[in-house]
Amino acid sequence: MAAKRDIRLTVNGVAYEATVEPRMTLVDMLRGELGLTGTHVGCEHGVCGACTVLMDGRAVRSCIMLAVQADGADFMTIEGLASREGELHPIQQAFIEERGLQCGFCTPGFMMSILELLQETPDPTDDEIKDALGGAICRCTGYESILKSVRSAAKKLLAPAS
Amino acid sequence: MKPASFEYFAPTSVADAVSLLQEHGLEAKLLAGGQSLVPLLNMRLARPTVVIDVNRVDGLSYVREDGDALAIGAMTHQREVERAELVQRVNPLLHAATRLIGHPQIRNRGTVGGSIAHADPAAELPAVALALDAEMHITGPNGEKAVPAADFFVTYLTTTLEPAEMLTEVRVPALPQGTGWSIQEMARRHGDFALAGATVTLSMNGGMCSDARVVLFGVGATPLRVQQAEERLIGERVDAALISEIGREISSSIDEPLADIHATSEYRRNLAGVLTERALVEALGRAA
Ligand SMILES: Cc1cc2nc3c(=O)[nH]c(=O)nc-3n(C[C@H](O)[C@H](O)[C@H](O)COP(=O)(O)OP(=O)(O)OC[C@H]3O[C@@H](n4cnc5c(N)ncnc54)[C@H](O)[C@@H]3O)c2cc1C
Ligand code: FES
Ligand code: FES
């Protein structure tokens, strides 16, 4: 077994330290070492999108990154989306209203990709939404309700209820 | 844990990366964006005992204009290339090709050098590198060298890179003003690797074709330049009849493309011809 390494990273604003084998993937560390099981793991080769997290503001697949590569980086996972007080994020609210989820397996990954999209493109066209989400698989919803959820989340974020 | 155990190094200079490669030889693999390598590790299709992560090497991520070319650092994320206004202006074909790679989440991590060094025959960047006469800048134990794309891709997932060599920069000549271009591909789902694809550049002068490049991908062991088609174009008025003739010739002349669960060899051949026709039509429309 290769020597373990000490790493430091920030997840959802909280500083963590971990000691990991180089071969451990980032998603296994998030779930197994840090206990952040909201990030799901499906295909483990980059294809399904379930494991998507934000790394330094960019949506990336945590199943095809090594935990050791996370050293020094700043992450956001699904656990960081709602406020500390538990108030749902507009994206989460929109998913409830538009029925953007059924079993919820794919949802954390979708939401992280949607967050990146809406941070960069607050008022996306349908093509832009499809381009951003085309890399994620949902076996339940048929996608249409996810599209609706994104449109609704964009509206909520542009014009927050006063 | 999915991958087999390996020793991990994260050098901070190209020189250190190369000496690690030299020390560990065929046991070692460079890790760039990891978007091809880590899936292979997870499935244990690759089992290097040493992984040399070059993400901490400084100075390999840039897109610069250098004379008539774009100089792109090997570790530049595909997403940066896609977003660079400079690339859109100087080389719209490179911009369009980059946008066809996987999904935004993949391009956020995947690098230009990684895609070219990995040399998947269905990948977009190797194909446009060949179509545009890109040059690969390589550093190894004996110093630096440059290899033209035409000599770089050897066969399926294999390039002229030696085990102790690292790709550091890709130089892509600018697309001359007025040159028509196109990249066309067919994938099962948007963002998947192409079943087959074609990329074309076309220069027209007084209604006649003065220069042309036709490159196919996903149908052979490397991207394929189709000189026969280029010769049919140069010196001709390019019209619908010539374009469909060339498409038919391509469908009937390319060697048995790969067959897999996604497409038969027959289908890929047919697709290569059809996509070449579409690419020629689009490039012709764009040529000034
Ligand atoms: C879901 C999914 C969809 C994808 N779809 C596409 C697609 O449609 N089109 C496409 O082209 N690609 C696609 N890819 C692959 C993606 O483009 C990869 O980023 C790319 O193939 C490899 O680049 P990388 O930086 O991730 O390299 P890595 O995975 O880190 O490395 C790949 C190989 O290249 C070697 N290498 C990397 N950098 C260097 C260097 N500088 N010098 C020498 N050797 C080096 C490594 O040792 C390794 O063997 C997809 C990937 C995924 C997961
Ligand atoms: S689990 Fe990472 S993309 Fe499927
Ligand atoms: S809600 Fe079940 S997979 Fe998407």
Side-chain angles (χ1 to χ4, degrees):
Chain A
M1 192 175 85
K4 289 194 175 186
R5 295 207 158 214
D6 295 325
I7 58 165
R8 289 157 187 272
L9 67 160
T10 317
V11 187
N12 305 324
V14 178
Y16 289 90
E17 287 179 21
T19 304
V20 296
E21 252 193 272
R23 63 174 165 152
M24 180 180 272
T25 58
L26 174 60
V27 71
D28 282 349
M29 179 188 67
L30 290 171
R31 293 174 54 86
E33 306 292 308
L34 308 187
L36 296 168
T37 52
T39 300
H40 291 167
V41 53
C43 67
E44 294 181 90
H45 62 280
V47 175
C48 75
C51 67
T52 306
V53 299
L54 296 193
M55 176 191 186
D56 297 326
R58 288 256 183 273
V60 300
R61 305 284 203 237
S62 60
C63 70
I64 50 174
M65 246 192 87
L66 301 175
V68 284
Q69 297 187 287
D71 193 24
D74 182 25
F75 291 89
M76 178 162 172
T77 64
I78 190 68
E79 287 91 346
L81 202 52
S83 76
R84 292 234 165 129
E85 295 71 42
E87 193 190 332
L88 293 183
H89 187 278
I91 296 174
Q92 292 169 311
Q93 200 58 48
F95 264 68
I96 294 173
E97 290 163 11
E98 301 295 340
R99 298 179 177 78
L101 74 159
Q102 288 178 32
C103 78
F105 189 84
C106 66
T107 315
F110 267 100
M111 287 190 175
M112 289 296 116
S113 290
I114 293 166
L115 187 63
E116 185 196 41
L117 169 72
L118 296 182
Q119 279 172 351
E120 291 179 357
T121 316
D123 190 15
T125 62
D126 278 3
D127 279 349
E128 285 168 331
I129 300 173
K130 287 180 189 167
D131 195 48
L133 303 185
I137 294 174
C138 174
R139 294 284 76 162
C140 300
T141 62
Y143 304 101
E144 202 47 53
S145 65
I146 297 179
L147 275 178
K148 280 191 196 142
S149 304
V150 180
R151 289 186 207 114
S152 155
K155 277 204 198 84
K156 286 180 197 290
L157 285 162
L158 281 172
S162 49
Chain B
M1 256 170 288
K2 306 276 297 192
S5 184
F6 52 76
E7 206 72 51
Y8 174 82
F9 296 94
T12 53
S13 71
V14 172
D16 287 352
V18 168
S19 54
L20 282 164
L21 281 173
Q22 220 179 343
E23 188 181 331
H24 298 285
L26 290 168
E27 294 291 298
K29 271 276 174 204
L30 289 181
L31 173 62
Q35 303 299 287
S36 294
L37 182 57
V38 182
L40 294 173
L41 296 178
N42 280 352
M43 294 187 266
R44 301 203 178 189
L45 291 170
R47 308 179 64 134
T49 56
V50 172
V51 168
I52 304 167
D53 180 356
V54 285
N55 284 276
R56 312 250 170 204
V57 174
D58 268 341
L60 287 183
S61 175
Y62 54 84
V63 182
R64 295 197 273 265
E65 202 165 9
D66 188 354
D68 280 343
L70 287 173
I72 304 175
M75 290 300 294
T76 310
H77 291 136
Q78 293 153 4
R79 201 77 189 281
E80 302 313 322
V81 173
E82 165 189 358
R83 284 158 186 254
E85 189 273 330
L86 175 65
V87 176
Q88 270 191 64
R89 180 163 49 82
V90 173
N91 205 321
L93 172 55
L94 178 60
H95 169 81
T98 307
R99 280 188 51 81
L100 291 172
I101 301 172
H103 316 287
Q105 298 82 353
I106 303 302
R107 302 195 291 273
N108 275 339
R109 287 292 293 168
T111 66
V112 170
S115 172
I116 288 182
H118 191 60
D120 190 300
E124 291 82 3
L125 292 183
V128 293
L130 184 61
L132 294 167
D133 287 325
E135 209 176 61
M136 315 313 169
H137 287 229
I138 295 164
T139 302
N142 306 319
E144 296 173 25
K145 64 179 179 190
V147 177
D151 300 332
F152 186 75
F153 301 104
V154 176
T155 182
Y156 190 72
L157 304 181
T158 307
T159 68
T160 57
L161 281 169
E162 296 289 338
E165 286 180 340
M166 175 173 173
L167 180 61
T168 54
E169 183 180 280
V170 180
R171 291 177 64 91
V172 187
L175 207 58
Q177 277 297 321
T179 303
W181 59 273
S182 178
I183 179 163
Q184 299 285 332
E185 66 175 47
M186 183 64 76
R188 290 283 292 251
R189 293 187 313 165
H190 172 75
D192 283 359
F193 269 105
L195 297 175
T199 182
V200 159
T201 65
L202 205 56
S203 309
M204 302 297 292
N205 196 339
M208 302 286 200
C209 173
S210 56
D211 201 5
R213 267 301 163 91
V214 178
V215 170
L216 306 176
F217 53 103
V219 294
T222 63
L224 292 178
R225 182 172 166 193
V226 196
Q227 260 155 315
Q228 211 185 321
E230 295 168 7
E231 281 156 20
R232 299 277 275 111
L233 290 158
I234 294 169
E236 297 295 322
R237 274 178 203 292
V238 181
D239 57 16
L242 178 60
I243 288 175
S244 62
E245 237 173 83
I246 289 173
R248 272 200 305 278
E249 280 171 16
I250 284 182
S251 292
S252 61
S253 69
I254 49 172
D255 279 345
E256 287 281 288
L258 196 78
D260 58 21
I261 54 164
H262 301 297
T264 60
S265 177
E266 260 328 285
Y267 181 70
R268 281 199 162 88
R269 271 179 153 199
N270 184 53
L271 206 50
V274 171
L275 293 170
T276 305
E277 287 180 41
R278 289 185 194 164
L280 284 169
V281 169
E282 187 173 55
L284 184 63
R286 284 182 174 140

